[in-house]
Amino acid sequence: ILDYYTKVFKGGSTRKITTENIRYDVVDKNHTQEIGNYSIIYKPDNSDKEVEIRGTMMIVWERDKKGAWKIKYDMWH
């Protein structure tokens, strides 16, 4: 995630990315979802002030045929 947002915010630098999980919901034996908030602190090169971006995230997990949990959807708003 850090590499992705560092590339997105070219012309500046990402100082800190944090997430806070609010809850996990079991949908059925093969699906669960994780809902939470995120915060990205970013400093543009042309400014002395840091910018904070806050939002909501939801990750849907699905169990594969071998029983391992894999991310099916990863949404950030």
Side-chain angles (χ1 to χ4, degrees):
I1 294 170
L2 180 60
D3 289 341
Y4 170 80
Y5 279 106
T6 300
K7 290 176 187 174
V8 168
F9 296 114
K10 285 185 179 179
S13 61
T14 301
R15 302 290 192 207
K16 185 176 183 182
I17 297 175
T18 57
T19 60
E20 173 189 3
N21 293 329
I22 297 172
R23 71 178 201 251
Y24 293 93
D25 297 321
V26 176
V27 178
D28 60 35
K29 68 178 187 173
N30 293 315
H31 298 89
T32 189
Q33 63 187 17
E34 175 181 351
I35 299 170
N37 296 315
Y38 68 89
S39 170
I40 300 169
I41 298 175
Y42 166 75
K43 184 176 178 202
D45 283 343
N46 60 357
S47 175
D48 291 333
K49 296 182 180 181
E50 291 182 335
V51 176
E52 183 175 15
I53 301 167
R54 298 173 76 62
T56 303
M57 64 176 196
M58 183 173 86
I59 302 170
V60 176
W61 295 84
E62 181 175 59
R63 192 184 313 255
D64 68 12
K65 292 178 182 179
K66 294 181 180 180
W69 288 99
K70 306 288 182 173
I71 293 175
K72 184 171 185 171
Y73 302 109
D74 186 359
M75 297 168 266
W76 298 64
H77 302 271

